[in-house]
Amino acid sequence: MRSVPFFNYPALFCKQEADFQTIFSDVGRRGAFIKQRDLADFEKSLASLLGVSYALGVGNATDGLEVALRAAGIGEGDEIIVSSHTMLATAVAAHFAGGKPIPVECGADHLIDPSAVEAAVSSRTRVIMPTQLNGRTCNMDALGRIADKHHLLIVEDAAQALGARYKGCCAGTFGVSAAISFYPAKVLGCLGDGGALVTNDTEVYERAAELCDFGRNHNGNVVRWGFNSRLDNLQAAFLDFQLRKYGDVISRRRRIAALYTQYLKDVKEIVLPPAPESDPDHFDIYQNYEIEAEERDQLRKYLRDVGVGTLVQWGGKAIHHMKALGFTQHLPYTDWMFDRLLMLPMNMSLSDDDVCYVCDNIRSFYGYGQ
Ligand SMILES: *Cc1c(COP(=O)(O)O)cnc(C)c1O
């Protein structure tokens, strides 16, 4: 029996082991651990990939989001509208920035529903924080119109969307700032925690850099209270190396998505993500391949028994399900969606034959021929 794990953590290291060892030795021998040239180089490469003025390495994307909100002047009691289909991190960042996260419904594309955003705007709303989920960008025209109409800021959770584009512009470039994650299972993953804040706004960049470095400005003078959240120089060196091959990584993921479409498009019991070339407004990087499936839990078990790993995102819990955090929203569409969502393997260790094997088994579960 074939084994197709959902994600292969050792492979992230083993497939590039010799290169990583060289980088490790080089950085180690220079003693270049904190805020050295490898970090500066990576920040420059990242900013140029996205077409933004500034990228700031931070400890992780959750910190990046909190800092993005703080640097944009968010304070006590400000409401921040988020999708309920996002990682807890989005709401956590809003909370610790002093704001109040307001989860709203996702749409049929699994991303925040602009009409639900509009309906949730109150006199206290300051920010729309859309999550560019699964490597796809939200309808930023619709969200931009709502933000303009109500004088709101947009801060993107682009943790899952490095290189995804909407109408030619990269996720992370639509609002005042955004955060990206380099958690190992992200499309660009480091060997531990890591993240970046990106922005075009000089003042936001400087404030964010101060917040992440004990409140010290570029002259070393303390100008505000700050904390410590930095991207390790060593991780930055690993990331800068991998970023050089990032275009190939995205192409491969889009190829896998195209194969899934080819093998599964006639299966009526499931809904697939949009195929790579299906929509001229979107360029998706397929951080995840999240389908909707009838009899989701039975399908999951069936696939497990034939050696195929799948995952239900966020352990099956939407933001508004976290009652311990005080959420009281009723979001029936998201509830309905969460009973159907399932992520199929989508990673650089998958062969075409692996994809074929996953699809054959999904077809036989629903009684389709190969
Ligand atoms: C991974 C992720 C985060 C958190 O990223 P960290 O770097 O682990 O803090 C935030 N939001 C979304 C949507 C994510 O997928």
Side-chain angles (χ1 to χ4, degrees):
M1 190 176 69
R2 195 178 275 263
S3 164
V4 186
F6 181 75
F7 190 79
N8 187 338
Y9 283 94
L12 173 65
F13 177 72
C14 298
K15 284 196 166 173
Q16 318 176 78
E17 183 163 355
D19 290 313
F20 282 153
Q21 297 284 14
T22 305
I23 292 165
F24 181 51
S25 298
D26 169 47
V27 169
R29 285 176 190 152
R30 281 188 278 127
F33 303 119
I34 302 287
K35 291 186 95 170
Q36 296 300 305
R37 71 157 194 254
D38 310 86
L39 175 59
D41 288 349
F42 173 62
E43 289 172 337
K44 219 172 286 160
S45 320
L46 186 63
S48 102
L49 175 86
L50 296 181
V52 288
S53 309
Y54 306 101
L56 174 72
V58 293
N60 55 70
T62 313
D63 284 359
L65 290 170
E66 181 186 332
V67 168
L69 291 167
R70 285 181 183 275
I74 296 317
E76 222 48 53
D78 290 340
E79 290 183 356
I80 296 162
I81 298 174
V82 304
S83 175
S84 202
H85 186 359
T86 186
M87 192 185 174
L88 191 51
T90 324
V92 162
H95 173 82
F96 284 106
K100 184 172 182 208
I102 307 290
V104 302
E105 298 269 30
C106 64
D109 57 0
H110 307 181
L111 303 166
I112 198 167
D113 177 355
S115 64
V117 172
E118 175 101 62
V121 173
S122 80
S123 58
R124 297 220 200 104
T125 308
R126 286 283 311 282
V127 181
I128 304 172
M129 192 146 85
T131 296
Q132 316 293 20
L133 191 74
N134 296 331
R136 183 176 175 85
T137 314
C138 299
N139 181 339
M140 297 311 296
D141 282 352
L143 293 176
R145 274 193 298 273
I146 298 166
D148 287 347
K149 181 170 155 199
H150 300 282
H151 309 291
L152 307 175
L153 299 172
I154 290 178
V155 173
E156 296 165 69
D157 181 342
Q160 295 195 354
L162 176 60
R165 297 196 293 270
Y166 174 74
K167 296 192 173 173
C169 296
C170 282
T173 66
F174 292 93
V176 58
S177 63
I180 294 162
S181 175
F182 308 122
Y183 182 85
K186 301 296 204 261
V187 179
L188 182 67
C190 62
L191 306 179
D193 275 314
L197 176 152
V198 295
T199 181
N200 281 312
D201 185 315
T202 304
E203 239 175 85
V204 165
Y205 170 73
E206 286 178 353
R207 221 175 296 153
E210 290 157 12
L211 282 167
C212 290
D213 189 36
F214 304 104
R216 295 184 295 204
N217 69 9
H218 51 272
N219 297 320
N221 297 319
V222 175
V223 293
R224 65 181 72 252
W225 283 103
F227 38 79
N228 176 13
S229 183
R230 299 181 293 223
L231 178 62
D232 278 358
N233 192 68
L234 178 60
Q235 297 295 356
F238 293 146
L239 288 164
D240 205 32
F241 163 72
Q242 294 186 89
L243 197 58
R244 283 175 232 147
K245 305 175 289 184
Y246 195 62
D248 296 339
V249 171
I250 295 178
S251 301
R252 174 63 190 156
R253 299 180 85 98
R254 288 169 61 83
R255 168 77 186 140
I256 293 169
L259 287 174
Y260 274 129
T261 302
Q262 184 187 328
Y263 297 141
L264 293 173
K265 61 177 185 289
D266 60 319
V267 178
K268 288 191 300 293
E269 289 83 354
I270 59 180
V271 178
L272 302 177
E277 306 295 342
S278 59
D279 178 348
D281 287 348
H282 288 269
F283 180 89
D284 298 348
I285 61 153
Y286 297 93
Q287 162 66 55
N288 302 312
Y289 196 80
E290 190 177 55
I291 68 167
E292 295 166 41
E294 285 176 20
E295 302 175 76
R296 188 259 324 260
D297 295 337
Q298 293 92 313
L299 172 64
R300 199 170 179 217
K301 181 175 180 309
Y302 184 91
L303 291 175
R304 189 192 308 131
D305 290 345
V306 294
V308 174
T310 60
L311 200 68
V312 175
Q313 200 158 204
W314 327 128
K317 295 271 187 239
I319 298 297
H320 71 288
H321 294 152
M322 314 284 177
K323 300 298 179 201
L325 303 183
F327 293 111
T328 55
Q329 286 81 5
H330 295 283
L331 304 175
Y333 184 78
T334 303
D335 292 344
W336 174 82
M337 186 67 94
F338 266 59
D339 288 337
R340 296 166 54 80
L341 294 175
L342 185 67
M343 300 198 295
L344 303 181
M346 168 57 80
N347 59 68
M348 294 303 286
S349 301
L350 282 180
S351 67
D352 288 8
D353 286 346
D354 289 336
V355 178
C356 192
Y357 179 76
V358 173
C359 295
D360 282 348
N361 279 290
I362 292 173
R363 298 183 70 83
S364 54
F365 173 76
Y366 289 116
Y368 286 76
Q370 313 278 293

